[in-house]
Amino acid sequence: MGTDKSLNRNNQIIAVCLALFSFIVSIFIWNWNGVDDYLVSLVLNGMYSSDNYCLFVNPVLCWMVKAMTHILPSADCYLLIIRLVSLLSYYSISIVCLRRFPKRIAVTLLLTLCAISFSSLNYTTVTVFFIVSGMISIFDYLYSETKTKAGFIIGSILVFAGFILRQQSALLMIPFFVLELVAYILTHKKTFKRCIVPVSIVLGLIVVTVGINLYYQSLYEPNIYYNDMRTKLCDYPNKSWEEVESSLPDLTPNDYQSLHDFLLADTDRIDGDYLSSVAEVSS
C-alpha cells in the first residue's frame, strides 16, 4: 500500500514537471499561425466592442474572458485561459500515461505530445486536444479498480472546455465517446451501472453548453445569417466573373473579386442580404 502511494506521488511529480515544462516552452512560441484565431482573441478581449460575443465560440467562454479582462486588463485573457486548460490537459494525460506505461515510454510519448499540442493555437486543434484528454481521464477513471474522483472531475472540466471553445469540433468527438462507452459496458456487464452517474454528469454538461450556445445564436440571428452568407462567398469555390456577369448587373469585376478577398468593410452596402444575392448566383 505504501509502495502504491509512493509510486502515485512520483507519477504526480513527474506529470507536474512535464506539464510545467510544456507550458514554459509554449510561452516562447508564437502560436498565432492563423488570422481566424487571432481575430477571435481580439473580439473576446473586447478590442472591437464592449460586447465581446463571438459566434465561433460558446458564450460561456465570452463571459469568462470578459470577467478576466476586468482583473487583468492588459493581458490576453483568451490566450491565458487556453494555456491554463492546455496545462491541465497535459497533466491529466501525463498521469494516465505514467500509470499505464513504463516510465521511459510514457515520458517519450509525452514529450512528443508536447511538441504537437503546444505548437499551434488553432482553436479546432486545441478543442480536440481538450476533448481527447478529457475522454482519456474519464475512461481511465471508469476502468480503474481504485476510483479517484480527481481524474473524473478533471476529465469533465476538459470536455466542458472543449465544448465552450469550439462546439462543432467537439461534437465530432461524440461518436468516439459513444464507441468507448459501448466497449466499456460490454466488458463490464456486471458493474456497468457504476458509469451511469459519471456519464450522466458529462452528458448534462454537454447539453447545457449546447443549449446556451443555441439560445445566444437566436439573439444574434442577423449576425449568424451574415456569417453564413460570407462563408459561402469566401470559404468555398465560386464561379468566375465571366460566368456570373450577366446575372449581377449592379456589380463590377472589382466588386465581385473584393467580396471573395474578404474586403467587406463597406457595411452600409454589404450586409447579409447583399451577400446572399451574390452567393445565390456565384455558388
Side-chain angles (χ1 to χ4, degrees):
M1 187 72 175
T3 304
D4 291 340
K5 286 185 177 180
S6 177
L7 184 62
N8 186 47
R9 184 164 56 250
N10 289 340
N11 287 343
Q12 289 180 349
I13 292 171
I14 295 172
V16 169
C17 290
L18 286 168
L20 288 175
F21 170 76
S22 63
F23 182 76
I24 293 169
V25 169
S26 71
I27 295 174
F28 297 96
I29 298 175
W30 176 254
N31 293 113
W32 295 119
N33 50 8
V35 66
D36 290 348
D37 305 289
Y38 185 56
L39 291 174
V40 167
S41 177
L42 293 178
V43 172
L44 291 182
N45 282 289
M47 296 295 101
Y48 285 98
S49 168
S50 57
D51 182 0
N52 74 330
Y53 173 72
C54 178
L55 61 91
F56 300 111
V57 303
N58 193 281
V60 175
L61 182 56
C62 302
W63 302 337
M64 292 170 63
V65 173
K66 192 168 188 176
M68 287 187 67
T69 56
H70 293 298
I71 303 171
L72 302 169
S74 300
D76 184 343
C77 295
Y78 168 71
L79 177 60
L80 182 59
I81 290 174
I82 295 299
R83 282 305 183 212
L84 289 176
V85 179
S86 295
L87 182 65
L88 184 63
S89 300
Y90 195 80
Y91 170 78
S92 68
I93 289 182
S94 298
I95 288 291
V96 175
C97 287
L98 288 166
R99 188 167 60 244
R100 301 278 180 178
F101 301 105
K103 279 190 172 52
R104 289 184 179 180
I105 296 175
V107 171
T108 302
L109 288 172
L110 291 167
L111 289 175
T112 304
L113 179 62
C114 170
I116 297 172
S117 60
F118 285 91
S119 62
S120 173
L121 266 179
N122 178 277
Y123 63 165
T124 300
T125 305
V126 174
T127 295
V128 173
F129 181 45
F130 290 170
I131 296 293
V132 171
S133 303
M135 287 172 56
I136 289 174
S137 294
I138 290 169
F139 282 105
D140 179 67
Y141 163 79
L142 292 177
Y143 280 107
S144 296
E145 294 181 4
T146 55
K147 308 288 187 187
T148 55
K149 293 182 180 179
F152 170 72
I153 292 171
I154 291 174
S156 301
I157 291 172
L158 293 175
V159 169
F160 174 73
F163 269 87
I164 66 173
L165 178 59
R166 182 75 165 149
Q167 180 176 297
Q168 293 93 327
S169 300
L171 288 172
L172 292 176
M173 304 304 295
I174 292 295
F176 299 99
F177 182 88
V178 173
L179 284 173
E180 185 58 39
L181 182 61
V182 170
Y184 174 81
I185 292 173
L186 291 176
T187 55
H188 294 74
K189 294 179 180 179
K190 294 182 180 180
T191 60
F192 79 91
K193 291 182 179 180
R194 295 178 184 175
C195 77
I196 293 177
V197 173
V199 171
S200 298
I201 292 173
V202 174
L203 292 178
L205 282 173
I206 293 173
V207 170
V208 169
T209 53
V210 171
I212 291 173
N213 196 42
L214 290 174
Y215 172 72
Y216 267 79
Q217 283 187 350
S218 67
L219 299 181
Y220 289 85
E221 191 171 345
N223 307 76
I224 304 294
Y225 173 66
Y226 173 91
N227 183 65
D228 289 343
M229 297 303 105
R230 179 208 58 79
T231 300
K232 286 185 178 181
L233 281 174
C234 301
D235 294 350
Y236 297 100
N238 284 272
K239 297 176 183 176
S240 65
W241 169 249
E242 289 73 20
E243 295 177 281
V244 300
E245 180 178 3
S246 60
S247 302
L248 299 171
D250 296 331
L251 264 67
T252 66
N254 185 61
D255 292 334
Y256 186 70
Q257 187 60 44
S258 296
L259 293 176
H260 294 92
D261 291 338
F262 294 89
L263 300 177
L264 310 171
D266 186 4
T267 53
D268 291 334
R269 179 187 182 192
I270 303 174
D271 56 13
D273 291 333
Y274 179 86
L275 294 176
S276 176
S277 64
V278 178
E280 287 179 0
V281 177
S282 65
S283 298

